[in-house]
Amino acid sequence: MNPNEIPVGIVGLGLMGCSIVTCLLIAGHPVVAVAPISVDMLHAEKRIREHLENSFEKGLIVHQPEFYLKHLIITEDYSQLKPCRLVNECTIENIEIKESVYKKVEAVIDADALLSSNTSAIPISTLQKLTQHPERFLGLHWTEPAHTTRFLEVICGDDTDIKNGEYLYELSHKWGKEPILVRKDIAGFITNRLMYAMYREAISLVENGYATIEDVDRSCRNNAGYFMTLVGVFRWMDLTGVPAYHMVMKNLLPTLNNSTEVPELIDKVVREGGKGVLNSHGFYAYEPGEAAVWEETFKEFTYEIRELALKYPADIVKKRLAEKNKNTD
């Protein structure tokens, strides 16, 4: 399982596609990056180069960008994907577009090569039915920026051969990930189901006048944001006392929002054309230049939080316990 010997293809070179390419180059894969729309060709190399430059400056990589870029092909020609053992589709959430991409990819790759999608909304079981070999189709759900975050979901659809999921699960450790193997397909997978439950409750609190947007964000940053780089929700309950959560749930759960409608607060932003920092129109009001500074600040933060997370991997306590036992023997 040597990345240097496993060519990988990425189809779709938007924001996420470019950071996924960067992640795979850093891991050592030869990468073929296909632009399904010509406009992607205008910015893809520049964006990937910038990711590599920042990674070098922050000590994430030890070589200059050119060392990695020599293993990258950026093209509009799908036939260049032929040697790839894995192709990851990163296009917009449109089934017709994705199906068109799969047909072009499957026309050139080997029957035993893996095909995956970075979708976060469309069930993998639905997408794999659009392919010639559904058993080799999986979801690879990344989060931005893919080259700094440790998150990755490997999702099996109803027709996926579980061995293919287990293979990608093992391979993704070489991408600097602490992956999640989702063995049964479910809408939203794991992370989105957790996050959207929180988004819905956050919006409900604001809409019903209990707190401002700023207050809700402050609560997230200074409570969940305080511990989640170290532990998840189950370990947190273990650390802070399971019975307390059991008691609170009896009274609190019936009061939580369970609406199935898109909340008015976010619907209004979208109706007015708001895209967040992308056009300085979102839940917050942005002064001229402020959105760009937020983007720069977030980019800086992703490297800093990665350094902290690397100090506390999932098995940190087992390692410390083993060292402690070794010292007492």
Side-chain angles (χ1 to χ4, degrees):
M1 199 174 280
N2 182 354
N4 295 326
E5 300 172 357
I6 307 173
V8 177
I10 300 296
V11 181
L13 296 176
L15 186 68
M16 178 66 78
C18 287
S19 68
I20 294 173
V21 168
T22 304
C23 176
L24 295 170
L25 288 173
I26 290 173
H29 289 280
V31 178
V32 178
V34 175
I37 53 177
S38 297
V39 69
D40 284 350
M41 297 290 291
L42 301 177
H43 59 72
E45 183 175 355
K46 178 177 181 291
R47 187 175 284 167
I48 294 166
R49 183 182 293 275
E50 287 177 351
H51 286 328
L52 291 169
E53 289 171 349
N54 290 329
S55 297
F56 180 75
E57 291 171 4
K58 300 296 183 181
L60 185 63
I61 56 178
V62 297
H63 301 291
Q64 293 282 355
E66 293 302 329
F67 175 86
Y68 304 94
L69 290 171
K70 66 185 179 183
H71 301 294
L72 172 65
I73 297 172
I74 300 177
T75 180
E76 294 181 82
D77 182 5
Y78 280 81
S79 69
Q80 298 267 12
L81 294 170
K82 184 171 180 55
C84 293
R85 303 304 303 152
L86 164 67
V87 176
N88 189 203
E89 167 266 311
C90 303
T91 62
I92 62 174
E93 300 288 57
N94 180 293
I95 290 182
E96 288 74 23
I97 290 175
K98 292 181 185 297
E99 182 177 16
S100 173
V101 166
Y102 301 153
K103 287 180 178 178
K104 293 174 183 177
V105 172
E106 290 193 299
V108 297
I109 64 173
D110 292 340
D112 62 347
L114 300 183
L115 180 59
S116 64
S117 175
N118 183 45
T119 183
S120 59
I122 305 173
I124 299 305
S125 299
T126 298
L127 292 178
Q128 67 185 178
K129 295 184 187 307
L130 309 176
T131 69
Q132 298 174 15
H133 303 283
E135 73 282 354
R136 55 109 172 256
F137 189 93
L138 305 100
L140 278 182
H141 183 210
W142 310 68
T143 192
E144 177 68 18
H147 60 292
T148 63
T149 53
R150 295 174 64 76
F151 170 83
L152 183 74
E153 286 179 310
V154 180
I155 307 109
C156 296
D158 293 343
D159 300 321
T160 303
D161 185 337
I162 187 63
K163 291 181 181 178
N164 291 327
E166 291 169 344
Y167 170 79
L168 286 184
Y169 175 81
E170 292 300 327
L171 179 62
S172 64
H173 284 83
K174 297 184 179 294
W175 304 342
K177 305 300 179 186
E178 286 186 2
I180 305 155
L181 179 56
V182 185
R183 293 175 176 269
K184 293 171 58 179
D185 195 12
I186 184 172
F189 318 132
I190 306 303
T191 293
N192 276 344
R193 294 185 73 87
L194 294 171
M195 292 302 298
Y196 277 83
M198 183 169 69
Y199 297 151
R200 179 173 63 183
E201 188 62 32
I203 291 174
S204 176
L205 290 169
V206 174
E207 287 186 332
N208 287 286
Y210 294 107
T212 65
I213 288 173
E214 292 86 352
D215 285 332
V216 172
D217 275 358
R218 193 174 297 116
S219 174
C220 293
R221 290 174 61 240
N222 295 320
N223 186 9
Y226 185 75
F227 65 80
M228 278 199 170
T229 296
L230 176 64
V231 296
V233 292
F234 289 104
R235 184 77 71 184
W236 178 245
M237 288 189 284
D238 272 358
L239 281 170
T240 53
V242 175
Y245 295 93
H246 180 269
M247 179 177 66
V248 170
M249 283 182 182
K250 292 180 180 180
N251 296 321
L252 183 59
L253 293 187
T255 74
L256 297 179
N257 186 291
N258 63 358
S259 172
T260 59
E261 301 295 324
V262 175
E264 168 62 18
L265 183 62
I266 188 171
D267 197 52
K268 182 175 184 293
V269 172
V270 174
R271 288 199 311 267
E272 294 174 350
K275 298 180 180 179
V277 297
L278 189 62
N279 64 352
S280 298
H281 182 184
F283 293 109
Y284 285 89
Y286 294 89
E287 299 177 7
E290 183 182 356
V293 175
W294 267 110
E295 290 185 301
E296 286 297 318
T297 303
F298 174 67
K299 183 169 69 175
E300 184 80 15
F301 174 78
T302 62
Y303 289 97
E304 294 177 357
I305 196 68
R306 176 186 172 84
E307 287 301 310
L308 178 62
L310 287 173
K311 292 175 61 178
Y312 298 95
D315 59 353
I316 182 63
V317 170
K318 292 186 183 298
K319 290 181 177 179
R320 289 183 172 181
L321 182 61
E323 186 65 27
K324 182 178 180 179
N325 291 338
K326 179 181 178 181
N327 292 335
T328 57
D329 287 343

